[in-house]
Short mmCIF file of all heavy atoms in Angstrom, two decimals:
data_model
loop_
_atom_site.label_atom_id
_atom_site.label_comp_id
_atom_site.label_asym_id
_atom_site.label_seq_id
_atom_site.Cartn_x
_atom_site.Cartn_y
_atom_site.Cartn_z
N MET F 1 120.80 129.91 82.51
CA MET F 1 119.43 129.50 82.62
C MET F 1 119.38 128.06 83.13
O MET F 1 120.01 127.18 82.58
CB MET F 1 118.76 129.60 81.26
CG MET F 1 117.30 129.27 81.33
SD MET F 1 116.46 129.79 79.84
CE MET F 1 116.07 128.25 79.12
N ALA F 2 118.64 127.83 84.16
CA ALA F 2 118.54 126.50 84.74
C ALA F 2 117.12 126.02 84.69
O ALA F 2 116.18 126.80 84.86
CB ALA F 2 119.02 126.54 86.19
N LEU F 3 116.99 124.75 84.40
CA LEU F 3 115.66 124.13 84.42
C LEU F 3 115.46 123.47 85.79
O LEU F 3 116.31 122.72 86.25
CB LEU F 3 115.53 123.09 83.32
CG LEU F 3 115.60 123.62 81.90
CD1 LEU F 3 115.56 122.47 80.91
CD2 LEU F 3 114.45 124.59 81.65
N VAL F 4 114.37 123.77 86.38
CA VAL F 4 114.10 123.20 87.69
C VAL F 4 112.83 122.36 87.59
O VAL F 4 111.80 122.81 87.12
CB VAL F 4 113.88 124.34 88.74
CG1 VAL F 4 113.53 123.73 90.09
CG2 VAL F 4 115.12 125.20 88.82
N HIS F 5 112.97 121.13 88.03
CA HIS F 5 111.82 120.22 88.02
C HIS F 5 111.20 120.21 89.40
O HIS F 5 111.84 119.89 90.39
CB HIS F 5 112.27 118.81 87.63
CG HIS F 5 111.15 117.81 87.69
ND1 HIS F 5 110.07 117.84 86.85
CD2 HIS F 5 110.96 116.73 88.48
CE1 HIS F 5 109.26 116.85 87.11
NE2 HIS F 5 109.78 116.15 88.11
N THR F 6 109.95 120.58 89.46
CA THR F 6 109.24 120.53 90.76
C THR F 6 108.14 119.49 90.63
O THR F 6 107.09 119.74 90.06
CB THR F 6 108.64 121.90 91.09
OG1 THR F 6 107.80 122.31 90.00
CG2 THR F 6 109.71 122.93 91.33
N PRO F 7 108.38 118.30 91.14
CA PRO F 7 107.41 117.23 90.99
C PRO F 7 106.13 117.54 91.76
O PRO F 7 106.15 118.14 92.84
CB PRO F 7 108.13 116.00 91.56
CG PRO F 7 109.18 116.55 92.44
CD PRO F 7 109.56 117.87 91.88
N SER F 8 105.06 117.09 91.18
CA SER F 8 103.78 117.26 91.84
C SER F 8 103.74 116.35 93.07
O SER F 8 104.20 115.23 93.06
CB SER F 8 102.65 116.87 90.90
OG SER F 8 101.44 116.81 91.58
N GLN F 9 103.17 116.82 94.12
CA GLN F 9 103.12 116.06 95.36
C GLN F 9 101.99 115.04 95.37
O GLN F 9 101.99 114.14 96.19
CB GLN F 9 102.96 117.02 96.55
CG GLN F 9 104.12 117.97 96.73
CD GLN F 9 105.41 117.23 97.10
OE1 GLN F 9 105.37 116.26 97.84
NE2 GLN F 9 106.52 117.68 96.58
N THR F 10 101.05 115.16 94.46
CA THR F 10 99.89 114.27 94.54
C THR F 10 99.88 113.17 93.50
O THR F 10 99.44 112.07 93.78
CB THR F 10 98.59 115.09 94.39
OG1 THR F 10 98.63 115.77 93.15
CG2 THR F 10 98.43 116.07 95.53
N THR F 11 100.37 113.41 92.27
CA THR F 11 100.19 112.42 91.21
C THR F 11 101.36 111.46 91.09
O THR F 11 101.17 110.31 90.75
CB THR F 11 99.95 113.11 89.87
OG1 THR F 11 101.07 113.95 89.59
CG2 THR F 11 98.68 113.92 89.91
N GLU F 12 102.58 111.89 91.33
CA GLU F 12 103.73 111.02 91.07
C GLU F 12 103.80 109.79 91.97
O GLU F 12 104.15 108.73 91.48
CB GLU F 12 105.01 111.82 91.10
CG GLU F 12 105.14 112.70 89.85
CD GLU F 12 106.52 113.29 89.66
OE1 GLU F 12 107.40 112.95 90.45
OE2 GLU F 12 106.68 114.10 88.75
N PRO F 13 103.49 109.87 93.25
CA PRO F 13 103.49 108.63 94.04
C PRO F 13 102.44 107.63 93.55
O PRO F 13 102.69 106.43 93.54
CB PRO F 13 103.20 109.09 95.46
CG PRO F 13 103.63 110.50 95.48
CD PRO F 13 103.35 111.04 94.12
N MET F 14 101.30 108.13 93.14
CA MET F 14 100.25 107.21 92.63
C MET F 14 100.69 106.60 91.31
O MET F 14 100.43 105.43 91.05
CB MET F 14 98.92 107.95 92.46
CG MET F 14 98.26 108.32 93.77
SD MET F 14 97.96 106.87 94.81
CE MET F 14 96.78 106.00 93.83
N LEU F 15 101.35 107.38 90.46
CA LEU F 15 101.84 106.86 89.18
C LEU F 15 102.90 105.79 89.42
O LEU F 15 102.90 104.74 88.79
CB LEU F 15 102.40 108.00 88.32
CG LEU F 15 102.89 107.59 86.94
CD1 LEU F 15 101.77 107.02 86.10
CD2 LEU F 15 103.53 108.78 86.24
N ALA F 16 103.80 106.06 90.37
CA ALA F 16 104.84 105.08 90.69
C ALA F 16 104.21 103.81 91.25
O ALA F 16 104.64 102.70 90.92
CB ALA F 16 105.83 105.66 91.69
N LEU F 17 103.20 103.94 92.07
CA LEU F 17 102.51 102.79 92.63
C LEU F 17 101.81 102.00 91.53
O LEU F 17 101.84 100.77 91.51
CB LEU F 17 101.50 103.23 93.69
CG LEU F 17 100.72 102.13 94.39
CD1 LEU F 17 101.67 101.27 95.20
CD2 LEU F 17 99.64 102.71 95.26
N LEU F 18 101.20 102.70 90.59
CA LEU F 18 100.52 102.04 89.47
C LEU F 18 101.51 101.30 88.59
O LEU F 18 101.27 100.16 88.18
CB LEU F 18 99.74 103.07 88.65
CG LEU F 18 98.80 102.54 87.59
CD1 LEU F 18 97.71 101.72 88.23
CD2 LEU F 18 98.22 103.68 86.79
N ILE F 19 102.66 101.92 88.31
CA ILE F 19 103.69 101.26 87.50
C ILE F 19 104.23 100.05 88.24
O ILE F 19 104.44 98.98 87.66
CB ILE F 19 104.80 102.27 87.16
CG1 ILE F 19 104.26 103.30 86.15
CG2 ILE F 19 106.02 101.55 86.59
CD1 ILE F 19 105.21 104.44 85.88
N ALA F 20 104.46 100.16 89.53
CA ALA F 20 104.97 99.03 90.32
C ALA F 20 103.96 97.89 90.34
O ALA F 20 104.33 96.71 90.18
CB ALA F 20 105.31 99.48 91.74
N ALA F 21 102.69 98.21 90.52
CA ALA F 21 101.66 97.17 90.55
C ALA F 21 101.55 96.49 89.19
O ALA F 21 101.40 95.27 89.10
CB ALA F 21 100.33 97.77 90.97
N GLY F 22 101.62 97.26 88.12
CA GLY F 22 101.58 96.67 86.78
C GLY F 22 102.77 95.80 86.51
O GLY F 22 102.63 94.73 85.88
N THR F 23 103.94 96.21 86.98
CA THR F 23 105.14 95.41 86.79
C THR F 23 105.04 94.09 87.54
O THR F 23 105.39 93.02 87.01
CB THR F 23 106.38 96.20 87.25
OG1 THR F 23 106.43 97.41 86.52
CG2 THR F 23 107.65 95.41 87.04
N VAL F 24 104.56 94.14 88.76
CA VAL F 24 104.40 92.91 89.55
C VAL F 24 103.38 91.99 88.89
O VAL F 24 103.59 90.77 88.78
CB VAL F 24 103.99 93.24 91.00
CG1 VAL F 24 103.53 92.01 91.75
CG2 VAL F 24 105.15 93.91 91.72
N LEU F 25 102.27 92.54 88.42
CA LEU F 25 101.25 91.72 87.75
C LEU F 25 101.81 91.07 86.49
O LEU F 25 101.60 89.88 86.25
CB LEU F 25 100.04 92.59 87.41
CG LEU F 25 98.87 91.84 86.75
CD1 LEU F 25 98.31 90.81 87.71
CD2 LEU F 25 97.81 92.82 86.33
N LEU F 26 102.53 91.84 85.70
CA LEU F 26 103.14 91.29 84.47
C LEU F 26 104.17 90.20 84.81
O LEU F 26 104.22 89.17 84.13
CB LEU F 26 103.80 92.41 83.67
CG LEU F 26 104.30 92.05 82.28
CD1 LEU F 26 103.16 91.61 81.39
CD2 LEU F 26 105.02 93.22 81.67
N ALA F 27 104.94 90.40 85.88
CA ALA F 27 105.93 89.41 86.27
C ALA F 27 105.24 88.12 86.74
O ALA F 27 105.69 87.02 86.41
CB ALA F 27 106.81 89.95 87.39
N LEU F 28 104.13 88.25 87.46
CA LEU F 28 103.43 87.05 87.93
C LEU F 28 102.78 86.30 86.75
O LEU F 28 102.80 85.07 86.73
CB LEU F 28 102.36 87.43 88.96
CG LEU F 28 102.90 87.87 90.32
CD1 LEU F 28 101.77 88.35 91.21
CD2 LEU F 28 103.66 86.73 90.97
N ILE F 29 102.24 87.02 85.80
CA ILE F 29 101.67 86.37 84.62
C ILE F 29 102.74 85.65 83.83
O ILE F 29 102.57 84.50 83.41
CB ILE F 29 100.92 87.41 83.74
CG1 ILE F 29 99.65 87.87 84.44
CG2 ILE F 29 100.59 86.81 82.38
CD1 ILE F 29 98.96 89.02 83.77
N THR F 30 103.91 86.30 83.67
CA THR F 30 105.02 85.67 82.96
C THR F 30 105.50 84.44 83.72
O THR F 30 105.76 83.40 83.11
CB THR F 30 106.16 86.68 82.78
OG1 THR F 30 105.67 87.82 82.07
CG2 THR F 30 107.31 86.06 82.00
N LEU F 31 105.64 84.55 85.02
CA LEU F 31 106.06 83.39 85.82
C LEU F 31 105.07 82.24 85.68
O LEU F 31 105.49 81.08 85.52
CB LEU F 31 106.20 83.78 87.29
CG LEU F 31 106.58 82.63 88.24
CD1 LEU F 31 107.97 82.12 87.92
CD2 LEU F 31 106.47 83.07 89.68
N TYR F 32 103.79 82.56 85.68
CA TYR F 32 102.80 81.50 85.50
C TYR F 32 102.91 80.85 84.15
O TYR F 32 102.91 79.62 84.02
CB TYR F 32 101.37 82.05 85.72
CG TYR F 32 100.35 81.00 85.40
CD1 TYR F 32 100.07 79.98 86.30
CD2 TYR F 32 99.69 81.00 84.16
CE1 TYR F 32 99.17 78.99 85.99
CE2 TYR F 32 98.79 80.02 83.86
CZ TYR F 32 98.53 79.01 84.77
OH TYR F 32 97.64 78.03 84.46
N LEU F 33 103.01 81.68 83.09
CA LEU F 33 103.07 81.13 81.73
C LEU F 33 104.32 80.30 81.50
O LEU F 33 104.29 79.27 80.84
CB LEU F 33 102.97 82.24 80.70
CG LEU F 33 101.60 82.89 80.57
CD1 LEU F 33 101.67 84.05 79.59
CD2 LEU F 33 100.54 81.90 80.15
N VAL F 34 105.45 80.74 82.05
CA VAL F 34 106.70 80.00 81.87
C VAL F 34 106.72 78.77 82.76
O VAL F 34 107.13 77.70 82.33
CB VAL F 34 107.91 80.91 82.18
CG1 VAL F 34 109.20 80.09 82.21
CG2 VAL F 34 108.02 82.01 81.14
N GLY F 35 106.26 78.91 83.98
CA GLY F 35 106.50 77.85 84.93
C GLY F 35 105.39 76.86 85.17
O GLY F 35 105.65 75.71 85.49
N PHE F 36 104.14 77.26 85.00
CA PHE F 36 103.08 76.40 85.49
C PHE F 36 101.95 76.14 84.51
O PHE F 36 101.11 75.28 84.77
CB PHE F 36 102.49 77.00 86.78
CG PHE F 36 103.53 77.21 87.83
CD1 PHE F 36 104.00 78.49 88.11
CD2 PHE F 36 104.07 76.14 88.54
CE1 PHE F 36 104.97 78.69 89.08
CE2 PHE F 36 105.03 76.34 89.49
CZ PHE F 36 105.50 77.62 89.76
N ASP F 37 101.91 76.85 83.40
CA ASP F 37 100.77 76.68 82.51
C ASP F 37 100.82 75.34 81.80
O ASP F 37 101.83 74.92 81.28
CB ASP F 37 100.76 77.81 81.47
CG ASP F 37 99.54 77.70 80.58
OD1 ASP F 37 98.42 77.78 81.12
OD2 ASP F 37 99.71 77.53 79.35
N GLN F 38 99.71 74.64 81.84
CA GLN F 38 99.58 73.37 81.14
C GLN F 38 98.49 73.45 80.08
O GLN F 38 98.05 72.43 79.55
CB GLN F 38 99.25 72.25 82.13
CG GLN F 38 100.31 72.01 83.16
CD GLN F 38 101.55 71.32 82.61
OE1 GLN F 38 101.47 70.59 81.63
NE2 GLN F 38 102.68 71.53 83.24
N GLY F 39 98.02 74.64 79.78
CA GLY F 39 97.01 74.82 78.75
C GLY F 39 95.59 75.00 79.28
O GLY F 39 94.70 75.38 78.53
N ALA F 40 95.38 74.72 80.56
CA ALA F 40 94.03 74.82 81.11
C ALA F 40 93.57 76.27 81.25
O ALA F 40 92.42 76.60 80.99
CB ALA F 40 93.95 74.12 82.45
N ILE F 41 94.47 77.16 81.67
CA ILE F 41 94.12 78.55 81.87
C ILE F 41 94.30 79.33 80.56
O ILE F 41 93.44 80.12 80.19
CB ILE F 41 94.96 79.17 82.98
CG1 ILE F 41 94.77 78.41 84.29
CG2 ILE F 41 94.62 80.66 83.16
CD1 ILE F 41 93.39 78.47 84.86
N SER F 42 95.40 79.13 79.87
CA SER F 42 95.68 79.91 78.66
C SER F 42 94.85 79.43 77.48
O SER F 42 94.77 80.12 76.47
CB SER F 42 97.16 79.83 78.32
OG SER F 42 97.53 78.52 77.93
N ARG F 43 94.21 78.25 77.59
CA ARG F 43 93.34 77.69 76.54
C ARG F 43 94.12 77.53 75.22
O ARG F 43 93.57 77.70 74.16
CB ARG F 43 92.10 78.54 76.32
CG ARG F 43 91.34 78.87 77.58
CD ARG F 43 90.82 77.70 78.29
NE ARG F 43 89.61 77.20 77.64
CZ ARG F 43 89.05 76.05 77.91
NH1 ARG F 43 89.58 75.27 78.81
NH2 ARG F 43 87.95 75.69 77.30
N SER F 44 95.43 77.23 75.33
CA SER F 44 96.24 77.12 74.15
C SER F 44 96.68 75.68 73.90
O SER F 44 97.59 75.45 73.14
CB SER F 44 97.47 78.02 74.27
OG SER F 44 98.28 77.58 75.33
N GLY F 45 96.02 74.75 74.57
CA GLY F 45 96.48 73.38 74.46
C GLY F 45 97.85 73.26 75.07
O GLY F 45 98.12 73.84 76.10
N MET F 46 98.72 72.55 74.44
CA MET F 46 100.09 72.42 74.95
C MET F 46 101.04 73.39 74.25
O MET F 46 102.25 73.31 74.42
CB MET F 46 100.58 70.99 74.77
CG MET F 46 99.84 69.99 75.67
SD MET F 46 100.00 70.37 77.42
CE MET F 46 101.65 69.81 77.71
N TYR F 47 100.47 74.31 73.43
CA TYR F 47 101.32 75.23 72.68
C TYR F 47 102.17 76.09 73.62
O TYR F 47 103.39 76.21 73.43
CB TYR F 47 100.48 76.11 71.77
CG TYR F 47 101.28 77.12 71.01
CD1 TYR F 47 102.04 76.74 69.90
CD2 TYR F 47 101.32 78.45 71.40
CE1 TYR F 47 102.79 77.66 69.22
CE2 TYR F 47 102.05 79.39 70.72
CZ TYR F 47 102.80 78.98 69.62
OH TYR F 47 103.55 79.90 68.95
N MET F 48 101.56 76.70 74.63
CA MET F 48 102.30 77.57 75.54
C MET F 48 103.32 76.76 76.37
O MET F 48 104.44 77.20 76.59
CB MET F 48 101.34 78.31 76.47
CG MET F 48 102.00 79.40 77.29
SD MET F 48 102.73 80.70 76.31
CE MET F 48 101.27 81.54 75.75
N HIS F 49 102.94 75.55 76.73
CA HIS F 49 103.85 74.69 77.48
C HIS F 49 105.10 74.37 76.64
O HIS F 49 106.22 74.47 77.11
CB HIS F 49 103.15 73.39 77.86
CG HIS F 49 104.03 72.40 78.56
ND1 HIS F 49 104.22 72.41 79.92
CD2 HIS F 49 104.80 71.41 78.06
CE1 HIS F 49 105.05 71.44 80.24
NE2 HIS F 49 105.42 70.81 79.14
N GLU F 50 104.87 74.02 75.38
CA GLU F 50 105.99 73.68 74.51
C GLU F 50 106.83 74.91 74.17
O GLU F 50 108.04 74.83 74.06
CB GLU F 50 105.50 73.02 73.21
CG GLU F 50 104.82 71.67 73.44
CD GLU F 50 105.73 70.64 74.07
OE1 GLU F 50 106.96 70.69 73.82
OE2 GLU F 50 105.23 69.80 74.81
N LEU F 51 106.16 76.07 74.04
CA LEU F 51 106.89 77.31 73.74
C LEU F 51 107.83 77.69 74.90
O LEU F 51 108.96 78.14 74.68
CB LEU F 51 105.89 78.44 73.48
CG LEU F 51 106.47 79.77 73.05
CD1 LEU F 51 107.12 79.63 71.68
CD2 LEU F 51 105.40 80.83 73.02
N MET F 52 107.40 77.46 76.11
CA MET F 52 108.18 77.86 77.29
C MET F 52 108.97 76.71 77.88
O MET F 52 109.54 76.81 78.97
CB MET F 52 107.23 78.41 78.37
CG MET F 52 106.45 79.60 77.96
SD MET F 52 107.54 80.99 77.62
CE MET F 52 106.37 82.16 76.98
N HIS F 53 109.05 75.60 77.16
CA HIS F 53 109.64 74.38 77.72
C HIS F 53 111.09 74.55 78.14
O HIS F 53 111.49 74.15 79.23
CB HIS F 53 109.51 73.26 76.69
CG HIS F 53 109.72 71.92 77.28
ND1 HIS F 53 110.56 71.00 76.74
CD2 HIS F 53 109.19 71.34 78.37
CE1 HIS F 53 110.54 69.91 77.49
NE2 HIS F 53 109.72 70.08 78.48
N ASP F 54 111.92 75.16 77.30
CA ASP F 54 113.33 75.33 77.62
C ASP F 54 113.50 76.26 78.82
O ASP F 54 114.35 76.03 79.68
CB ASP F 54 114.11 75.84 76.42
CG ASP F 54 114.24 74.80 75.32
OD1 ASP F 54 114.03 73.62 75.63
OD2 ASP F 54 114.55 75.19 74.19
N GLY F 55 112.70 77.30 78.87
CA GLY F 55 112.77 78.23 80.01
C GLY F 55 112.38 77.54 81.31
O GLY F 55 112.95 77.81 82.35
N ARG F 56 111.42 76.68 81.22
CA ARG F 56 110.99 75.91 82.41
C ARG F 56 112.13 75.06 82.93
O ARG F 56 112.40 75.02 84.12
CB ARG F 56 109.79 75.03 82.01
CG ARG F 56 109.13 74.38 83.16
CD ARG F 56 107.92 73.63 82.66
NE ARG F 56 107.00 74.55 81.99
CZ ARG F 56 105.71 74.51 82.06
NH1 ARG F 56 105.14 73.55 82.75
NH2 ARG F 56 104.96 75.37 81.44
N HIS F 57 112.83 74.38 82.05
CA HIS F 57 113.96 73.54 82.46
C HIS F 57 115.12 74.41 82.94
O HIS F 57 115.81 74.05 83.90
CB HIS F 57 114.41 72.63 81.33
CG HIS F 57 113.53 71.45 81.16
ND1 HIS F 57 113.71 70.26 81.82
CD2 HIS F 57 112.41 71.29 80.40
CE1 HIS F 57 112.77 69.42 81.47
NE2 HIS F 57 111.97 70.02 80.62
N LEU F 58 115.32 75.55 82.30
CA LEU F 58 116.39 76.44 82.69
C LEU F 58 116.20 76.93 84.12
O LEU F 58 117.16 77.06 84.89
CB LEU F 58 116.47 77.63 81.73
CG LEU F 58 117.57 78.66 81.99
CD1 LEU F 58 118.93 78.04 81.72
CD2 LEU F 58 117.35 79.88 81.14
N LEU F 59 114.96 77.21 84.49
CA LEU F 59 114.68 77.71 85.85
C LEU F 59 114.56 76.58 86.87
O LEU F 59 114.43 76.86 88.06
CB LEU F 59 113.36 78.49 85.81
CG LEU F 59 113.42 79.80 85.00
CD1 LEU F 59 112.03 80.40 84.91
CD2 LEU F 59 114.40 80.77 85.61
N GLY F 60 114.62 75.34 86.41
CA GLY F 60 114.57 74.22 87.35
C GLY F 60 113.19 73.92 87.87
O GLY F 60 113.03 73.29 88.92
N LEU F 61 112.18 74.36 87.14
CA LEU F 61 110.82 74.08 87.56
C LEU F 61 110.41 72.68 87.16
O LEU F 61 110.87 72.17 86.13
CB LEU F 61 109.86 75.09 86.93
CG LEU F 61 110.06 76.53 87.39
CD1 LEU F 61 109.30 77.48 86.51
CD2 LEU F 61 109.65 76.68 88.83
N PRO F 62 109.59 72.03 87.92
CA PRO F 62 109.16 70.67 87.54
C PRO F 62 108.37 70.69 86.25
O PRO F 62 107.53 71.55 86.04
CB PRO F 62 108.28 70.23 88.71
CG PRO F 62 107.89 71.46 89.42
CD PRO F 62 108.97 72.45 89.14
N CYS F 63 108.69 69.73 85.39
CA CYS F 63 108.03 69.74 84.07
C CYS F 63 107.50 68.36 83.74
O CYS F 63 106.32 68.14 83.63
CB CYS F 63 109.05 70.18 83.01
SG CYS F 63 108.37 70.27 81.37
N HIS F 64 108.40 67.40 83.55
CA HIS F 64 107.99 66.04 83.21
C HIS F 64 108.97 65.05 83.76
O HIS F 64 109.99 65.38 84.27
CB HIS F 64 107.84 65.87 81.70
CG HIS F 64 109.06 66.29 80.92
ND1 HIS F 64 110.11 65.49 80.67
CD2 HIS F 64 109.35 67.50 80.35
CE1 HIS F 64 111.03 66.14 79.95
NE2 HIS F 64 110.60 67.38 79.77
ZN1 ZN T 1 110.20 69.35 80.19
#
């Protein structure tokens, strides 16, 4: 007995595109929070900056 997977021709490319777009968006938000946030957008004061401080230096991004 063999199991055969027959992917749908209409939904899987859209699902893959949605997952890829979500991944890119999440990566850009993470890059912003680690690399560039100074508290103005995240409204967290300097908390997010201090939380990501070591990562910022590790990536060689300008900090202080
Ligand atoms: Zn620094």
Side-chain angles (χ1 to χ4, degrees):
M1 183 166 111
L3 295 176
V4 178
H5 177 66
T6 55
S8 170
Q9 296 295 323
T10 58
T11 59
E12 287 192 5
M14 289 303 295
L15 182 62
L17 181 65
L18 190 63
I19 290 172
T23 302
V24 167
L25 182 64
L26 188 63
L28 288 175
I29 290 171
T30 302
L31 177 65
Y32 174 78
L33 288 176
V34 171
F36 303 104
D37 184 60
Q38 298 287 333
I41 301 296
S42 67
R43 310 299 282 169
S44 64
M46 292 302 283
Y47 178 76
M48 189 62 73
H49 177 88
E50 296 299 329
L51 185 65
M52 301 295 173
H53 196 230
D54 290 342
R56 188 176 302 218
H57 281 272
L58 181 69
L59 294 173
L61 295 168
C63 182
H64 53 86

